Amino acid sequence: MFRIVLIANRGEIACRIARTCRRLGVRTVAVYSDADRDALHVRTADEAVRIGPPEAGRSYLDVDVIVAAARACGADAVHPGYGFLSERAVFPRRLAEAGIGWIGPHAEAIERMGSKRDAKALARLAGVACVPGYDGEDQSDRVLAEAAARIGFPVLVKASAGGGGRGMRRVDLPEDLPAALAAARAEAQSAFGSAELLLEKLLLRPRHLEVQLAGDRHGNLVHLFERECSVQRNYQKLLEEAPAPRLGDAIRSHLHGAALRLGRAIGYDSLGTVEFILEDGMEEPWFLEMNTRLQVEHPVTECVTGLDLVEWQIRAAAGETLPLTQNDISLRGHAIEARLCAEDPARDYQPGTGTVLRFDPPHGDGVRVDTGVGTGSVVTPHYDSLLAKLVAHGATRGEALDRLARAIDGLVVLGVATNQAFLGDVLAQPAFQRGQLTTRFLAEAFAAGWREDGEGDNQGAWAEMAAVALWLADAKASAAGPGPWGTLGPFRVLAPAGRQARTCLDLVGLGGARAIEVCGDAARFEAEGRPVAADTRPSMISVTVDGVTRGFAWAKQGDDIWLQAGRRAFRARVAAAGSSMIGAAAEAGGSSVVAAMPGLVSGVEIEEGQIIEKGQVCVVMEAMKVVLRLPAPVTGRVARLLCAPGDTVTAGAVLVEIKAAQGDATQPLGTEPSMYRLR
Ligand code: ADP
Ligand code: ADP
Ligand code: MG
């Protein structure tokens, strides 16, 4: 067995591989780019090596750098995970030259299966039926056009070296083919380093079915049943399950047999997956491609077989024989996986980046979470959007489905936009529940797109009130200091005897951006005349409006307040009224005098239009027995005077807007006020 394994990957799969290594008593070395210095996978491993700047091409995809890292740390093998270098034959070859082992198949299998053209030729030799198409050597437009006519439109133009759902183009009409070929060639060359194309008949309602294979270096090869991965968007998998639902025994055993034949034909000696598509209602699955690596969705197979596939992969690479024969491998129950991605399905799947303010994985019977992030992780735009995988196992498909639905609802992830709510809505679709799946499923189920607030339960309004309560609690906390005043909220302090001061807030929530008037404190306030009660705890807040109480998990970052109930997360921004002008003023090349804390304006020493000097006192405020003299941050002209003596203002409120004089660079907002204590 290996002593030290370098994991040439990041995110959830690096963490997943480290887990098995630890159990096997193997030391792990993580690699990281500058963007991942504090990433979870770095902390999960025993040690870590920096491999370069954030760009994948100069870090995770740099063979030289990673081979050098493996050498430097004394690794006796490298696990490539998926993506990145996992399917580059040059990588294991270079490692072999350095005397370092490879946790994957022999390089020739990677090379030949990495070319979809070559793979299809091999499949045919092995008696495995392929999707009808053209995968010949002659790549001229004329030959491809003739082939397309023979295949029949629509056709799919694919990059032979493509992967990850990229490099595919649907062509419906013969006249569109030449342009599509030119574009596909250019794209394939730049993305995959080869302009080679192939054509396939485009199946209109296919299912994606795939078979997990496991082999060793002694000629043993078994299958670990199949997975259904038809729930896809843009040719990329979103939910996967094992076994495939609604599949006849004949087709099932045909699949397993075909996968084994192909694996044997190439002398397959590791973990790998043979992918097929099956047109809905047809009997014969067609070979698509083979992935010569650990697959994203391997956990569903682990659940239903009770095996650790990473362990099998490592043991095989270390020269051990497979621990079980085909007859010893059996299937228990059903498992479903959902990919949690940092992308916003309500906003055209825009990638979500930022700091994960909170990540509380769900618990429950039969629930497994493979995550690459935790509370405090930073999601950068440099890599894949996959954050974590939620996997549920049950005795039946129904039980697995219920468990996964509960797991999705039970996950708390705040600070970064994710597809969590969308995943839950997908699971709730009748067609999904029935297991009636084709790759068209998502497009058909959400024909008009997907909307966040589908249930019409007004949850967004409760979330907004929770955000206001959290803002008020913060305002009180920041006003708190020693002495009796500290225990009172600023609004009460500053109100004339007998009534509470009103304060205006800018609120950006599900209901859009607007100003609201609030009166009271965090526990009990009136918002736009409506009484609200709130109970704020360190991680939960419950809000009562009109006798109805709803609870939210919460997290705060600057003006941003994230709230979550069930699978739906809300982001609200709350700020003192007028703060939205801060940005506008700064953009206009101006600068502002801002209230440093909540309080009362006791004096205004300037007028609109007046030319003022940097440092000149503009406004005098009183708050918490402190007098604040607020100076001009820049030299310039008073563009707008936004307060008057006697006004109660909140922290961050813009009091004076100044148009800076030419040459006087805008200063950071909120320059230090001079301050002294009354008595
Ligand atoms: P799986 O087939 O295991 O479900 P995916 O197709 O979702 O995996 O891809 C897994 C990861 O590998 C993704 O990050 C994807 O972008 C990446 N990937 C897969 N194949 C390639 C390839 N040939 N080149 C670059 N990245 C790839
Ligand atoms: P990749 O290497 O990017 O994973 P695949 O050949 O495995 O490429 O195809 C990815 C997905 O695209 C499949 O899972 C399937 O949904 C869809 N697809 C591929 N080929 C066809 C086809 N001929 N007709 C319809 N859909 C296809
Ligand atoms: Mg594929």
Side-chain angles (χ1 to χ4, degrees):
M1 179 49 65
F2 305 120
R3 287 174 311 112
I4 303 175
V5 165
L6 179 133
I7 302 168
N9 216 298
R10 62 179 303 283
E12 66 86 18
I13 199 65
C15 298
R16 156 75 191 90
I17 294 161
R19 199 161 68 223
T20 290
C21 288
R22 173 156 306 133
R23 195 168 54 71
L24 298 179
V26 175
R27 262 184 87 73
T28 52
V29 180
V31 294
Y32 64 93
S33 73
D34 291 337
D36 280 340
R37 195 184 303 277
D38 300 316
L40 191 60
H41 79 272
V42 173
R43 281 178 279 145
T44 307
D46 294 313
E47 55 188 86
V49 182
R50 176 187 177 269
I51 48 168
E55 302 94 278
R58 295 169 62 201
S59 52
Y60 298 104
L61 280 170
D62 190 325
V63 176
D64 292 334
V65 169
I66 294 182
V67 172
R71 242 188 220 179
C73 69
D76 34 22
V78 167
H79 195 307
Y82 53 68
F84 294 128
L85 296 174
S86 62
E87 291 176 284
R88 303 270 178 93
V90 65
F91 192 26
R93 287 190 175 126
R94 291 286 308 284
L95 287 169
E97 284 162 22
I100 298 168
W102 167 252
I103 302 174
H106 59 86
E108 197 202 335
I110 299 177
E111 196 160 60
R112 300 198 58 187
M113 291 303 172
S115 153
K116 291 187 203 294
R117 280 187 49 224
D118 218 358
K120 286 176 93 170
L122 251 166
R124 275 192 296 270
L125 279 177
V128 175
C130 297
V131 188
Y134 172 81
D135 46 72
E137 213 166 322
D138 191 334
Q139 294 276 309
S140 68
D141 273 21
R142 188 183 54 81
V143 168
L144 289 170
E146 282 167 13
R150 212 166 42 243
I151 297 162
F153 286 86
V155 295
L156 198 57
V157 178
K158 282 190 187 180
S160 180
R166 291 170 305 145
M168 287 190 269
R169 271 196 163 66
R170 171 187 175 143
V171 182
D172 285 275
L173 301 166
E175 56 265 38
D176 295 338
L177 190 66
L181 292 176
R185 276 191 193 105
E187 193 181 287
Q189 182 65 52
S190 80
F192 309 109
S194 154
E196 253 183 29
L197 302 178
L198 71 156
L199 300 179
E200 280 179 8
K201 182 167 187 60
L202 182 93
L203 305 192
L204 294 176
R205 297 183 61 77
R207 293 175 70 173
H208 174 116
L209 300 165
E210 60 183 36
V211 179
Q212 178 69 58
L213 293 183
D216 62 20
R217 310 285 204 242
H218 307 281
N220 300 303
L221 187 72
V222 297
H223 74 79
L224 301 171
F225 308 99
E226 79 287 342
R227 294 183 287 255
E228 161 96 55
C229 312
S230 298
V231 181
Q232 301 185 351
R233 199 184 73 84
N234 284 348
Y235 308 118
Q236 282 167 342
K237 299 158 188 168
L238 185 70
L239 288 121
E240 304 100 338
E241 54 186 293
R246 292 174 172 254
L247 195 67
D249 286 345
I251 303 181
R252 200 184 299 274
S253 57
H254 176 100
L255 272 178
H256 300 162
L260 283 170
R261 276 204 306 285
L262 179 62
R264 284 196 196 101
I266 188 83
Y268 204 73
D269 58 351
S270 181
L271 217 58
T273 296
V274 184
E275 297 190 333
F276 298 86
I277 46 176
L278 172 67
E279 185 72 339
D280 200 24
M282 305 272 280
E283 296 292 308
E284 190 181 30
W286 284 324
F287 171 70
L288 259 189
E289 65 155 349
M290 178 166 188
N291 294 323
T292 52
R293 55 172 162 89
L294 180 67
Q295 204 100 343
V296 174
E297 56 274 21
H298 75 278
V300 292
T301 299
E302 295 189 319
C303 287
V304 297
T305 58
L307 304 171
D308 180 335
L309 297 196
V310 174
E311 177 181 349
W312 277 43
Q313 198 180 18
I314 294 173
R315 288 194 185 283
E320 297 184 21
T321 50
L322 289 184
L324 299 176
T325 61
Q326 191 72 64
N327 286 335
D328 298 326
I329 301 165
S330 58
L331 197 93
R332 282 186 308 119
H334 199 100
I336 312 181
E337 169 184 286
R339 298 188 187 194
L340 181 77
C341 298
E343 59 186 24
D344 190 344
R347 285 181 193 75
D348 200 24
Y349 296 88
Q350 268 175 29
T353 54
T355 301
V356 178
L357 302 175
R358 234 178 111 182
F359 186 88
D360 301 344
H363 300 284
D365 285 343
V367 172
R368 161 176 170 180
V369 180
D370 283 17
T371 183
V373 298
T375 298
S377 291
V378 178
V379 181
T380 70
H382 301 291
Y383 314 107
D384 206 282
S385 65
L386 184 66
L387 298 179
K389 302 177 309 204
L390 307 181
V391 191
H393 183 211
T396 60
R397 183 172 189 270
E399 188 174 56
L401 232 158
D402 287 346
R403 287 176 169 179
L404 183 59
R406 274 202 297 276
I408 292 171
D409 282 351
L411 166 75
V412 175
V413 51
L414 299 174
V416 173
T418 78
N419 63 346
Q420 179 182 5
F422 177 60
L423 288 172
D425 289 357
V426 170
L427 238 59
Q429 289 295 313
F432 191 94
Q433 302 256 329
R434 287 193 303 268
Q436 236 159 17
L437 303 172
T438 73
T439 62
R440 299 281 310 143
F441 163 73
L442 286 181
E444 288 169 357
F446 300 95
W450 175 81
R451 300 214 358 119
E452 173 90 53
D453 210 353
E455 292 162 46
D457 59 0
N458 250 345
Q459 188 78 309
W462 261 259
E464 286 184 352
M465 289 306 107
V468 169
L470 288 163
W471 189 90
L472 289 170
D474 244 27
K476 177 173 170 174
S478 65
W485 297 108
T487 57
L488 295 171
F491 312 106
R492 247 179 287 176
V493 173
L494 299 164
R499 67 183 178 86
Q500 293 195 335
R502 296 182 173 275
T503 191
C504 262
L505 297 181
D506 285 344
L507 174 71
V508 185
L510 228 62
R514 61 192 195 279
I516 64 165
E517 206 177 49
V518 175
C519 176
D521 64 17
R524 199 163 286 280
F525 59 92
E526 259 184 38
E528 292 165 313
R530 234 168 153 201
V532 180
D535 181 12
T536 307
R537 303 287 163 96
S539 60
M540 285 296 296
I541 179 168
S542 60
V543 180
T544 306
V545 185
D546 295 340
V548 179
T549 301
R550 295 189 187 173
F552 297 89
W554 67 273
K556 201 169 178 305
Q557 187 181 42
D559 292 338
D560 272 354
I561 298 173
W562 291 78
L563 296 144
Q564 178 160 10
R567 61 182 180 258
R568 289 158 70 201
F570 303 88
R571 185 168 92 167
R573 289 178 70 88
V574 183
S579 62
S580 54
M581 286 182 286
I582 294 175
E587 260 168 38
S591 199
S592 318
V593 177
V594 178
M597 55 198 292
L600 182 79
V601 175
S602 54
V604 174
E605 308 199 355
I606 47 150
E607 288 173 8
E608 232 170 62
Q610 186 182 334
I611 304 294
I612 52 170
E613 293 280 316
K614 178 173 173 177
Q616 181 178 342
V617 173
C618 298
V619 176
V620 182
M621 277 183 69
E622 285 178 25
M624 314 304 294
K625 294 169 90 183
V626 169
V627 172
L628 302 168
R629 307 171 68 79
L630 306 176
V634 290
T635 295
R637 191 176 51 79
V638 177
R640 283 172 59 179
L641 181 58
L642 298 158
C643 62
D647 284 356
T648 297
V649 296
T650 47
V654 175
L655 306 178
V656 183
E657 266 176 43
I658 303 165
K659 177 86 179 111
Q662 288 271 318
D664 192 350
T666 302
Q667 300 290 307
L669 297 172
T671 51
E672 293 226 328
S674 69
M675 181 192 289
Y676 66 88
R677 286 198 167 267
L678 283 178
R679 256 170 310 170

